[in-house]
Amino acid sequence: VDRKEAAAFLGTTTEAIKELIQKGALLPVSQKRLKLGAMEVDGEWEIEDEQFDAFQKAFNDEEPGRHPPAWVIRSLSVEARHRCGICEQPLPLQFHHIIEWSKLKHYEPAWMIAVCGGCHDKIRRGEIDRKSQEQYKEKLRLRSADVVALDAQFQSLIATSAALPILKELLRDMQRVIADGADAASIGSDYTFVRIEEKNEINRVSVEYFDEYVLEDEVHVAAFDKLIKDPQNHAIKESYYCVAADLRERLLSLSANGIGFEFAFIKLRDHIATIVGNMNSMELRMLKALIAFMYVNCDIGRKA
Ligand SMILES: [Zn+2]
């Protein structure tokens, strides 16, 4: 390892590593001074893996549990691409136990996450709860190579949908009806018939994400609700349920692969837009709102 890597592993700066090499640090219990072994090569330091592991082990032996083994640190750092797993800033990393050390003495990377000092403090203060931590971890996991494969699979799944031509028409009709008769005051955000918190949990959608994704288009989402329920719009309603049924089936096979809806929301819109082609910004906005409506109306996604 070089100085930079050592700094990343220990969640500190390259300057601090220089200090550790030249002056060492006091061990927490015995208060003995220990230097990090290194070899000077062309004015820079090379630290052998063994030297690095021995240094960490000395600290761990005195205070078991506070210093994860190098392989765990390496694995978590790589997973997070050497950025904070929460705020994504390239800051020195700390290694948080999602399943608390006090509850289970583990170094299981699957239950740990690399975070910066600031986010680690937020966790300690309870501002980032356990469920959020798990979702950040899940995001890191999904960002790996599997996602690329799943994305391609999802794309071909959507591409074969017979409902897409109907969808394009549907968007046009909805746009027209909303433009004609949308009375903002009468459009409430009444989808309280669905227990949305529960539905989000089952479909792995965080509250923040839902607020950002769905509530941004709340007016349109509510307008769709009104539009579908109006007996005058019988034809629109039929097209709507035809499209929704088709997408529901496709999404079910996706969720069988363990993909949460946060991923599906975005990908569904992007892939449909690509395949349908030539969608203007208004149609894209409508499409996003339509997908959100299908979700809150429980026509797609797992039900609460
Ligand atoms: Zn952070």
Side-chain angles (χ1 to χ4, degrees), residues 16-284:
I17 297 297
K18 189 173 155 188
E19 289 257 325
L20 290 178
I21 294 169
Q22 292 179 330
K23 296 184 190 154
L26 292 179
L27 288 165
V29 179
S30 67
Q31 294 290 300
K32 274 191 219 149
R33 184 166 287 279
L34 181 70
K35 287 185 183 176
L36 171 60
M39 227 174 44
E40 203 171 343
V41 184
D42 301 329
E44 192 39 85
W45 283 277
E46 264 304 316
I47 305 154
E48 301 271 329
D49 278 352
E50 292 75 26
Q51 291 176 311
F52 190 72
D53 288 346
F55 185 75
Q56 278 199 306
K57 188 172 180 299
F59 280 82
N60 199 44
D61 285 348
E62 295 205 357
E63 260 190 335
R66 285 189 48 92
H67 312 277
W71 73 270
V72 173
I73 294 176
R74 187 174 291 119
S75 145
L76 292 170
S77 304
V78 167
E79 178 187 65
R81 299 182 185 191
H82 291 275
R83 285 168 175 267
C84 171
I86 293 175
C87 71
E88 300 188 353
Q89 293 188 76
L91 296 168
L93 295 177
Q94 300 180 0
F95 303 91
H96 172 64
H97 282 82
I98 298 174
I99 293 183
E100 288 165 49
W101 179 263
S102 62
K103 298 207 173 103
L104 186 72
K105 309 267 179 278
H106 71 89
Y107 286 124
E108 172 53 60
W111 302 333
M112 294 178 73
I113 185 169
V115 291
C116 74
C119 290
H120 210 175
D121 285 343
K122 283 188 192 164
I123 292 175
R124 288 198 198 98
R125 290 197 298 267
E127 290 164 27
I128 301 171
D129 68 3
R130 163 81 181 270
K131 210 154 256 163
S132 311
Q133 294 165 33
E134 283 173 0
Q135 282 172 357
Y136 282 118
K137 176 75 180 179
E138 176 80 352
K139 269 192 190 161
L140 292 181
R141 225 171 45 75
L142 286 177
R143 219 186 278 154
S144 64
D146 298 357
V147 176
V148 179
L150 276 167
D151 192 18
Q153 199 186 324
F154 190 26
Q155 188 172 7
S156 62
L157 205 67
I158 300 302
T160 54
S161 166
L164 292 184
I166 308 168
L167 179 75
K168 175 103 182 174
E169 287 298 312
L170 180 66
L171 286 173
R172 204 167 292 152
D173 287 343
M174 286 186 149
Q175 230 175 304
R176 183 176 43 74
V177 175
I178 289 173
D180 281 354
D183 168 4
S186 72
I187 299 171
S189 53
D190 184 26
Y191 38 79
T192 45
F193 51 89
V194 50
R195 279 169 300 176
I196 204 70
E197 291 83 9
E198 269 176 63
K199 173 149 176 153
N200 284 343
E201 206 173 315
I202 301 170
N203 289 283
R204 280 185 283 155
V205 175
S206 66
V207 176
E208 298 80 26
Y209 188 91
F210 179 80
D211 288 353
E212 200 179 300
Y213 190 92
V214 175
L215 299 189
E216 190 200 3
D217 279 317
E218 202 175 10
V219 172
H220 287 139
V221 170
F224 287 153
D225 185 43
K226 205 176 164 219
L227 204 133
I228 298 288
K229 283 171 187 157
D230 187 340
Q232 270 194 331
N233 301 323
H234 182 71
I236 290 182
K237 184 178 168 180
E238 275 202 355
S239 307
Y240 168 82
Y241 280 108
C242 170
V243 172
D246 183 79
L247 292 179
R248 178 176 53 236
E249 287 311 308
R250 287 162 203 278
L251 286 167
L252 273 180
S253 66
L254 185 80
S255 67
N257 284 319
I259 292 296
F261 240 79
E262 285 196 8
F263 175 82
F265 270 137
I266 299 286
K267 289 297 172 186
L268 193 56
R269 185 200 54 189
D270 290 352
H271 289 324
I272 290 175
T274 309
I275 294 157
V276 171
N278 294 323
M279 292 181 86
N280 62 38
S281 62
M282 190 60 198
E283 285 173 321
L284 281 174

